[in-house]
Amino acid sequence: MDHYDSQQTNDYMQPEEDWDRDLLLDPAWEKQQRKTFTAWCNSHLRKAGTQIENIEEDFRDGLKLMLLLEVISGERLAKPERGKMRVHKISNVNKALDFIASKGVKLVSIGAEEIVDGNVKMTLGMIWTIILRFAIQDISVEETSAKEGLLLWCQRKTAPYKNVNIQNFHISWKDGLGFCALIHRHRPELIDYGKLRKDDPLTNLNTAFDVAEKYLDIPKMLDAEDIVGTARPDEKAIMTYVSSFYHAFSGAQKAETAANRICKVLAVNQENEQLMEDYEKLASDLLEWIRRTIPWLENRAPENTMHAMQQKLEDFRDYRRLHKPPKVQEKCQLEINFNTLQTKLRLSNRPAFMPSEGRMVSDINNAWGCLEQAEKGYEEWLLNEIRRLERLDHLAEKFRQKASIHEAWTDGKEAMLRQKDYETATLSEIKALLKKHEAFESDLAAHQDRVEQIAAIAQELNELDYYDSPSVNARCQKICDQWDNLGALTQKRREALERTEKLLETIDQLYLEYAKRAAPFNNWMEGAMEDLQDTFIVHTIEEIQGLTTAHEQFKATLPDADKERLAILGIHNEVSKIVQTYHVNMAGTNPYTTITPQEINSKWDHVRQLVPRRDQALTEEHARQQHNERLRKQFAAQANVIGPWIQTKMEEIGRISIEMHGTLEDQLSHLRQYEKSIVNYKPKIDQLEGDHQLIQEALIFDNKHTNYTMEDHSGTLGPEEFKACLISLGYDIGNDPQKKTGMMDTDDFRACLISMGYNMGEAEFARIMSIVDPNRLGVVTFQAFIDFMSRETADTDTADQVMASFKILAGDKNYITVDELRRELPPDQAEYCIARMAPYTGPDAVPGALDYMSFSTALYGESDL
């Protein structure tokens, strides 16, 4: 028998079908065992700070298996091998198996190689053996142990609960009430048992599993859907789960042991007395039945007709089918009860039971032996008589039936075997034809027995001188000749199918290799074409040099790419050669790719054409970038001189517009001298503007040789702008005395404000006009302008005022926090302060405190924030 189980010298586990390979073929049971055994292992492995994810994979190196055994046994195993080789893994698993065997467990058909190879059946079997030994063997309830003890414990615990009837470890647990009853019996506060319904198994199971995991430290080993959705849940998974409940509540078990001890003593006496009474009555009834039956079996009076003999046979069959089996059961039960009674009496220190005279087990066995002997002789006599009367007719009818069945089966088989449908089939179709042929061969082999039976029957009919033997012999010979021909045709068709399959598999492998290499090569060519045709935009000579280098590296790969192309085309040519040599009728094209050799050659030619075009484009761009670099350096040489000069003049303009010392004529003279110096410098600025125009035409947007741009220079106050500002201030720098009015209109005033850096909208300008032109005359006097500018420059906050404002935001503290800044100020201004404030170091400092005092002082001092 192809199975493995674990068997020990004691009685906690018998060599019954505790483990059978075939049971694992049920995917639902295998799934339940995987989940349950994995959770059980992890409930112990977590004590060592680890766990498993895949039960057949994670035990393959033996390390976690040895660790599991150490945790559950509390003993140290031999030092494990840390190598990664197969021999190291086998050594570790063998150490674990040796340890299991040392605990009295007999391992049958479980080898280290199968565990290392990830054999799921063997791995689950091994884990089940460990669970039996370490989790179930030591369970003992009322003189029963292991599985029976666990079942009895469940029955005792759930006896008071309605709708709970635990008889096994599979269907008795499907409705979930058994699990809930176990929890409620020990921890009634965890489950409201009265609200549970037998017709709602999912809720019951999920309630029990969730409560056990949360409050009893029992991991969830099964899903409710797995149990409900299976006609018969896996017994081993349920037993493993239930054993966890037993161990969780084992403490409460001790309290019941003392209470049950007295009841057990009394129950033993009562049970023994009842067994004695039952034995005496059962023995008396059985002996009486034997004494009545033997005379009937010893009657050998022959009958003259087939009908009479058949009636005797029917009576005998009724005896064997209806009357004797219950008596056999009674005899077995009698022996079992006797042995059980004697064992119980011996274990409980009671005297042995002595049945009444003539009712010993040996007396019953002697009487039964006489019955068996009479029955055997009677059966032989019946069969010989019936065989003598009906054998010839029976054999003849049997021959005709078997011959007719066989001839019907062989009809059309020869034509089917002579078909050459494989000549135009694809590989998948060939494989299907081969499987179909294998099925036919199995069918053919199955019919071999029928042919042999037909020949044997014909031979027996000849030996008994059957009157129609010639026709039987002729029909039998025809069947045998046809059978030999079918065998020859079957072998011939198999050879043709296998030969065709081999050729098509070779072509299929070549097709697959072609596809695997053609796809990346095609992608490479498409990417290369895309890169070679991609428009590049560069702004520096370094960028174009980088592109040129990359292009040269790409060109260096072309010889290897051409070799790969030729290799791919060679694969395709090999397919063509096989097709031509063996005259294979190919159906369709390469099933793995749509890329043809023609397409590969076409794209390759395109790539080769694009390479010189790219060379030319890169060369032209390199020359253009060299020209641009010369323009940058030429502009930078001038800008680096003009820029500082303009900055100096801007500062002087600012001072002149604010200070306004001396008489009006003195100020006018000073400004005319400044205008003259600007006019004299204008040619240099014009030259710089010309260079800037060339840079713009060349689309140059950056210049690493200078920080100045033409926009920087165009924003300064040049001669024309300066003159416009003087006129707007009421000065005449020409010779027209009519323009010396000392006033300016609204547009001049707006231009003047803008030239001094004001950035305002219509509303702000209207506000300023209401100040300098309260009568709305449309003009601004010089005195009004001076008064407005004085107020603007005077209305400036001091450092003390800013510091006082920060102190208000900080709640009168000497520091302010980041949260307070972000709460009171706009986001950009808050982040500005946070980035620039130094940490506060005073005696009352807290984490994250900032120094707003030094920050306020620095705002008005010389410090560079």
PDB file of all heavy atoms in Angstrom, residues 650-661 667 671 729 756 758 785-786 789-790 792-794:
ATOM      1  N   MET A 650      23.357 103.854 -11.095  1.00  0.00           N
ATOM      2  CA  MET A 650      22.030 103.643 -10.530  1.00  0.00           C
ATOM      3  C   MET A 650      21.998 104.081  -9.064  1.00  0.00           C
ATOM      4  O   MET A 650      21.033 104.681  -8.591  1.00  0.00           O
ATOM      5  CB  MET A 650      21.643 102.174 -10.641  1.00  0.00           C
ATOM      6  CG  MET A 650      21.334 101.706 -12.055  1.00  0.00           C
ATOM      7  SD  MET A 650      19.786 102.381 -12.665  1.00  0.00           S
ATOM      8  CE  MET A 650      18.634 101.538 -11.620  1.00  0.00           C
ATOM      9  N   GLU A 651      23.063 103.744  -8.338  1.00  0.00           N
ATOM     10  CA  GLU A 651      23.116 104.136  -6.927  1.00  0.00           C
ATOM     11  C   GLU A 651      23.166 105.657  -6.798  1.00  0.00           C
ATOM     12  O   GLU A 651      22.542 106.246  -5.903  1.00  0.00           O
ATOM     13  CB  GLU A 651      24.327 103.493  -6.271  1.00  0.00           C
ATOM     14  CG  GLU A 651      24.231 101.966  -6.183  1.00  0.00           C
ATOM     15  CD  GLU A 651      25.516 101.336  -5.681  1.00  0.00           C
ATOM     16  OE1 GLU A 651      26.483 102.105  -5.449  1.00  0.00           O
ATOM     17  OE2 GLU A 651      25.564 100.088  -5.536  1.00  0.00           O
ATOM     18  N   GLU A 652      23.925 106.317  -7.705  1.00  0.00           N
ATOM     19  CA  GLU A 652      24.000 107.774  -7.644  1.00  0.00           C
ATOM     20  C   GLU A 652      22.654 108.415  -7.939  1.00  0.00           C
ATOM     21  O   GLU A 652      22.257 109.399  -7.300  1.00  0.00           O
ATOM     22  CB  GLU A 652      25.047 108.261  -8.653  1.00  0.00           C
ATOM     23  CG  GLU A 652      26.477 107.859  -8.280  1.00  0.00           C
ATOM     24  CD  GLU A 652      27.490 108.291  -9.343  1.00  0.00           C
ATOM     25  OE1 GLU A 652      27.064 108.933 -10.329  1.00  0.00           O
ATOM     26  OE2 GLU A 652      28.689 107.991  -9.191  1.00  0.00           O
ATOM     27  N   ILE A 653      21.933 107.857  -8.907  1.00  0.00           N
ATOM     28  CA  ILE A 653      20.594 108.381  -9.229  1.00  0.00           C
ATOM     29  C   ILE A 653      19.688 108.276  -8.016  1.00  0.00           C
ATOM     30  O   ILE A 653      18.926 109.200  -7.697  1.00  0.00           O
ATOM     31  CB  ILE A 653      19.981 107.619 -10.415  1.00  0.00           C
ATOM     32  CG1 ILE A 653      20.759 107.927 -11.693  1.00  0.00           C
ATOM     33  CG2 ILE A 653      18.515 107.978 -10.610  1.00  0.00           C
ATOM     34  CD1 ILE A 653      20.323 107.112 -12.876  1.00  0.00           C
ATOM     35  N   GLY A 654      19.787 107.122  -7.314  1.00  0.00           N
ATOM     36  CA  GLY A 654      18.939 106.945  -6.139  1.00  0.00           C
ATOM     37  C   GLY A 654      19.211 108.017  -5.097  1.00  0.00           C
ATOM     38  O   GLY A 654      18.285 108.531  -4.478  1.00  0.00           O
ATOM     39  N   ARG A 655      20.489 108.316  -4.886  1.00  0.00           N
ATOM     40  CA  ARG A 655      20.809 109.325  -3.876  1.00  0.00           C
ATOM     41  C   ARG A 655      20.335 110.718  -4.294  1.00  0.00           C
ATOM     42  O   ARG A 655      19.826 111.499  -3.484  1.00  0.00           O
ATOM     43  CB  ARG A 655      22.319 109.344  -3.635  1.00  0.00           C
ATOM     44  CG  ARG A 655      22.817 108.097  -2.868  1.00  0.00           C
ATOM     45  CD  ARG A 655      24.217 108.314  -2.328  1.00  0.00           C
ATOM     46  NE  ARG A 655      25.202 108.535  -3.385  1.00  0.00           N
ATOM     47  CZ  ARG A 655      25.851 107.521  -3.993  1.00  0.00           C
ATOM     48  NH1 ARG A 655      25.622 106.290  -3.644  1.00  0.00           N
ATOM     49  NH2 ARG A 655      26.733 107.784  -4.950  1.00  0.00           N
ATOM     50  N   ILE A 656      20.503 111.035  -5.597  1.00  0.00           N
ATOM     51  CA  ILE A 656      20.083 112.357  -6.080  1.00  0.00           C
ATOM     52  C   ILE A 656      18.586 112.532  -5.912  1.00  0.00           C
ATOM     53  O   ILE A 656      18.093 113.582  -5.483  1.00  0.00           O
ATOM     54  CB  ILE A 656      20.484 112.529  -7.557  1.00  0.00           C
ATOM     55  CG1 ILE A 656      22.019 112.590  -7.663  1.00  0.00           C
ATOM     56  CG2 ILE A 656      19.842 113.771  -8.166  1.00  0.00           C
ATOM     57  CD1 ILE A 656      22.524 112.578  -9.091  1.00  0.00           C
ATOM     58  N   SER A 657      17.794 111.458  -6.233  1.00  0.00           N
ATOM     59  CA  SER A 657      16.339 111.584  -6.195  1.00  0.00           C
ATOM     60  C   SER A 657      15.829 111.714  -4.775  1.00  0.00           C
ATOM     61  O   SER A 657      14.737 112.227  -4.552  1.00  0.00           O
ATOM     62  CB  SER A 657      15.690 110.357  -6.852  1.00  0.00           C
ATOM     63  OG  SER A 657      16.043 109.196  -6.129  1.00  0.00           O
ATOM     64  N   ILE A 658      16.654 111.282  -3.766  1.00  0.00           N
ATOM     65  CA  ILE A 658      16.183 111.345  -2.371  1.00  0.00           C
ATOM     66  C   ILE A 658      16.685 112.621  -1.687  1.00  0.00           C
ATOM     67  O   ILE A 658      15.953 113.318  -0.974  1.00  0.00           O
ATOM     68  CB  ILE A 658      16.653 110.099  -1.600  1.00  0.00           C
ATOM     69  CG1 ILE A 658      16.002 108.838  -2.194  1.00  0.00           C
ATOM     70  CG2 ILE A 658      16.295 110.199  -0.116  1.00  0.00           C
ATOM     71  CD1 ILE A 658      14.500 108.840  -2.156  1.00  0.00           C
ATOM     72  N   GLU A 659      17.996 112.961  -1.899  1.00  0.00           N
ATOM     73  CA  GLU A 659      18.598 114.049  -1.105  1.00  0.00           C
ATOM     74  C   GLU A 659      18.136 115.437  -1.544  1.00  0.00           C
ATOM     75  O   GLU A 659      17.663 116.244  -0.744  1.00  0.00           O
ATOM     76  CB  GLU A 659      20.115 113.953  -1.194  1.00  0.00           C
ATOM     77  CG  GLU A 659      20.623 112.641  -0.545  1.00  0.00           C
ATOM     78  CD  GLU A 659      22.114 112.427  -0.771  1.00  0.00           C
ATOM     79  OE1 GLU A 659      22.733 113.269  -1.461  1.00  0.00           O
ATOM     80  OE2 GLU A 659      22.649 111.421  -0.260  1.00  0.00           O
ATOM     81  N   MET A 660      18.266 115.818  -2.835  1.00  0.00           N
ATOM     82  CA  MET A 660      17.802 117.119  -3.361  1.00  0.00           C
ATOM     83  C   MET A 660      18.380 118.300  -2.559  1.00  0.00           C
ATOM     84  O   MET A 660      17.674 119.177  -2.085  1.00  0.00           O
ATOM     85  CB  MET A 660      16.262 117.176  -3.349  1.00  0.00           C
ATOM     86  CG  MET A 660      15.607 116.170  -4.303  1.00  0.00           C
ATOM     87  SD  MET A 660      15.926 116.569  -6.032  1.00  0.00           S
ATOM     88  CE  MET A 660      14.951 115.317  -6.845  1.00  0.00           C
ATOM     89  N   HIS A 661      19.708 118.367  -2.358  1.00  0.00           N
ATOM     90  CA  HIS A 661      20.340 119.476  -1.611  1.00  0.00           C
ATOM     91  C   HIS A 661      20.561 120.693  -2.523  1.00  0.00           C
ATOM     92  O   HIS A 661      20.699 120.550  -3.741  1.00  0.00           O
ATOM     93  CB  HIS A 661      21.680 119.017  -1.031  1.00  0.00           C
ATOM     94  CG  HIS A 661      21.539 117.894  -0.027  1.00  0.00           C
ATOM     95  ND1 HIS A 661      20.726 117.978   1.077  1.00  0.00           N
ATOM     96  CD2 HIS A 661      22.115 116.658   0.009  1.00  0.00           C
ATOM     97  CE1 HIS A 661      20.791 116.881   1.771  1.00  0.00           C
ATOM     98  NE2 HIS A 661      21.643 116.016   1.129  1.00  0.00           N
ATOM     99  N   GLN A 667      20.896 122.062  -8.247  1.00  0.00           N
ATOM    100  CA  GLN A 667      20.504 120.673  -8.531  1.00  0.00           C
ATOM    101  C   GLN A 667      20.452 120.437 -10.035  1.00  0.00           C
ATOM    102  O   GLN A 667      20.860 119.376 -10.540  1.00  0.00           O
ATOM    103  CB  GLN A 667      19.129 120.380  -7.908  1.00  0.00           C
ATOM    104  CG  GLN A 667      19.153 120.427  -6.380  1.00  0.00           C
ATOM    105  CD  GLN A 667      17.757 120.224  -5.799  1.00  0.00           C
ATOM    106  OE1 GLN A 667      16.916 119.607  -6.419  1.00  0.00           O
ATOM    107  NE2 GLN A 667      17.544 120.760  -4.596  1.00  0.00           N
ATOM    108  N   LEU A 671      22.591 117.695 -12.260  1.00  0.00           N
ATOM    109  CA  LEU A 671      21.946 116.665 -13.077  1.00  0.00           C
ATOM    110  C   LEU A 671      22.404 116.741 -14.520  1.00  0.00           C
ATOM    111  O   LEU A 671      22.510 115.725 -15.207  1.00  0.00           O
ATOM    112  CB  LEU A 671      20.426 116.797 -12.987  1.00  0.00           C
ATOM    113  CG  LEU A 671      19.831 116.426 -11.608  1.00  0.00           C
ATOM    114  CD1 LEU A 671      18.352 116.774 -11.571  1.00  0.00           C
ATOM    115  CD2 LEU A 671      20.020 114.949 -11.340  1.00  0.00           C
ATOM    116  N   LEU A 729       9.885 116.013 -13.199  1.00  0.00           N
ATOM    117  CA  LEU A 729      10.057 116.679 -11.914  1.00  0.00           C
ATOM    118  C   LEU A 729       9.906 118.210 -12.036  1.00  0.00           C
ATOM    119  O   LEU A 729      10.052 118.927 -11.062  1.00  0.00           O
ATOM    120  CB  LEU A 729      11.423 116.362 -11.328  1.00  0.00           C
ATOM    121  CG  LEU A 729      11.593 114.922 -10.801  1.00  0.00           C
ATOM    122  CD1 LEU A 729      13.043 114.669 -10.448  1.00  0.00           C
ATOM    123  CD2 LEU A 729      10.705 114.702  -9.613  1.00  0.00           C
ATOM    124  N   MET A 756      11.062 105.653 -10.188  1.00  0.00           N
ATOM    125  CA  MET A 756      11.674 105.550  -8.867  1.00  0.00           C
ATOM    126  C   MET A 756      11.378 104.212  -8.179  1.00  0.00           C
ATOM    127  O   MET A 756      11.681 104.036  -7.015  1.00  0.00           O
ATOM    128  CB  MET A 756      11.167 106.707  -7.975  1.00  0.00           C
ATOM    129  CG  MET A 756      11.759 108.049  -8.406  1.00  0.00           C
ATOM    130  SD  MET A 756      11.359 109.370  -7.259  1.00  0.00           S
ATOM    131  CE  MET A 756       9.621 109.507  -7.466  1.00  0.00           C
ATOM    132  N   TYR A 758       8.225 102.535  -7.951  1.00  0.00           N
ATOM    133  CA  TYR A 758       6.880 102.225  -7.461  1.00  0.00           C
ATOM    134  C   TYR A 758       6.203 101.246  -8.401  1.00  0.00           C
ATOM    135  O   TYR A 758       6.247 101.434  -9.616  1.00  0.00           O
ATOM    136  CB  TYR A 758       6.035 103.512  -7.354  1.00  0.00           C
ATOM    137  CG  TYR A 758       6.302 104.310  -6.085  1.00  0.00           C
ATOM    138  CD1 TYR A 758       7.397 105.148  -5.977  1.00  0.00           C
ATOM    139  CD2 TYR A 758       5.439 104.185  -5.002  1.00  0.00           C
ATOM    140  CE1 TYR A 758       7.641 105.852  -4.821  1.00  0.00           C
ATOM    141  CE2 TYR A 758       5.682 104.908  -3.842  1.00  0.00           C
ATOM    142  CZ  TYR A 758       6.782 105.742  -3.746  1.00  0.00           C
ATOM    143  OH  TYR A 758       7.000 106.432  -2.608  1.00  0.00           O
ATOM    144  N   PHE A 785       4.988 117.300  -4.406  1.00  0.00           N
ATOM    145  CA  PHE A 785       5.791 116.106  -4.671  1.00  0.00           C
ATOM    146  C   PHE A 785       6.823 115.885  -3.563  1.00  0.00           C
ATOM    147  O   PHE A 785       7.010 114.777  -3.065  1.00  0.00           O
ATOM    148  CB  PHE A 785       6.467 116.249  -6.035  1.00  0.00           C
ATOM    149  CG  PHE A 785       7.469 115.153  -6.314  1.00  0.00           C
ATOM    150  CD1 PHE A 785       7.042 113.879  -6.668  1.00  0.00           C
ATOM    151  CD2 PHE A 785       8.831 115.387  -6.197  1.00  0.00           C
ATOM    152  CE1 PHE A 785       7.951 112.884  -6.923  1.00  0.00           C
ATOM    153  CE2 PHE A 785       9.736 114.374  -6.440  1.00  0.00           C
ATOM    154  CZ  PHE A 785       9.302 113.121  -6.815  1.00  0.00           C
ATOM    155  N   ILE A 786       7.520 117.038  -3.139  1.00  0.00           N
ATOM    156  CA  ILE A 786       8.536 116.942  -2.089  1.00  0.00           C
ATOM    157  C   ILE A 786       7.894 116.482  -0.770  1.00  0.00           C
ATOM    158  O   ILE A 786       8.428 115.637  -0.054  1.00  0.00           O
ATOM    159  CB  ILE A 786       9.260 118.275  -1.913  1.00  0.00           C
ATOM    160  CG1 ILE A 786      10.078 118.574  -3.169  1.00  0.00           C
ATOM    161  CG2 ILE A 786      10.177 118.236  -0.687  1.00  0.00           C
ATOM    162  CD1 ILE A 786      11.141 117.547  -3.495  1.00  0.00           C
ATOM    163  N   MET A 789       7.088 112.712  -0.920  1.00  0.00           N
ATOM    164  CA  MET A 789       8.272 111.872  -0.804  1.00  0.00           C
ATOM    165  C   MET A 789       8.829 111.882   0.612  1.00  0.00           C
ATOM    166  O   MET A 789       9.352 110.866   1.103  1.00  0.00           O
ATOM    167  CB  MET A 789       9.347 112.322  -1.796  1.00  0.00           C
ATOM    168  CG  MET A 789       8.968 112.086  -3.256  1.00  0.00           C
ATOM    169  SD  MET A 789       8.571 110.348  -3.605  1.00  0.00           S
ATOM    170  CE  MET A 789      10.105 109.582  -3.182  1.00  0.00           C
ATOM    171  N   SER A 790       8.717 113.048   1.307  1.00  0.00           N
ATOM    172  CA  SER A 790       9.202 113.135   2.691  1.00  0.00           C
ATOM    173  C   SER A 790       8.391 112.196   3.581  1.00  0.00           C
ATOM    174  O   SER A 790       8.936 111.492   4.432  1.00  0.00           O
ATOM    175  CB  SER A 790       9.091 114.577   3.203  1.00  0.00           C
ATOM    176  OG  SER A 790       9.924 115.419   2.436  1.00  0.00           O
ATOM    177  N   GLU A 792       6.728 109.531   2.608  1.00  0.00           N
ATOM    178  CA  GLU A 792       6.989 108.140   2.230  1.00  0.00           C
ATOM    179  C   GLU A 792       8.277 107.611   2.860  1.00  0.00           C
ATOM    180  O   GLU A 792       8.358 106.471   3.301  1.00  0.00           O
ATOM    181  CB  GLU A 792       7.081 108.010   0.704  1.00  0.00           C
ATOM    182  CG  GLU A 792       5.755 108.145  -0.010  1.00  0.00           C
ATOM    183  CD  GLU A 792       4.842 106.980   0.298  1.00  0.00           C
ATOM    184  OE1 GLU A 792       5.249 105.827   0.096  1.00  0.00           O
ATOM    185  OE2 GLU A 792       3.711 107.229   0.783  1.00  0.00           O
ATOM    186  N   THR A 793       9.308 108.498   2.862  1.00  0.00           N
ATOM    187  CA  THR A 793      10.594 108.034   3.419  1.00  0.00           C
ATOM    188  C   THR A 793      10.593 108.059   4.924  1.00  0.00           C
ATOM    189  O   THR A 793      11.328 107.314   5.573  1.00  0.00           O
ATOM    190  CB  THR A 793      11.746 108.909   2.891  1.00  0.00           C
ATOM    191  OG1 THR A 793      11.452 110.286   3.218  1.00  0.00           O
ATOM    192  CG2 THR A 793      11.893 108.755   1.398  1.00  0.00           C
ATOM    193  N   ALA A 794       9.726 108.919   5.519  1.00  0.00           N
ATOM    194  CA  ALA A 794       9.698 109.003   6.986  1.00  0.00           C
ATOM    195  C   ALA A 794       8.845 107.904   7.594  1.00  0.00           C
ATOM    196  O   ALA A 794       9.060 107.500   8.732  1.00  0.00           O
ATOM    197  CB  ALA A 794       9.168 110.384   7.421  1.00  0.00           C
TER     198      ALA A 794
END
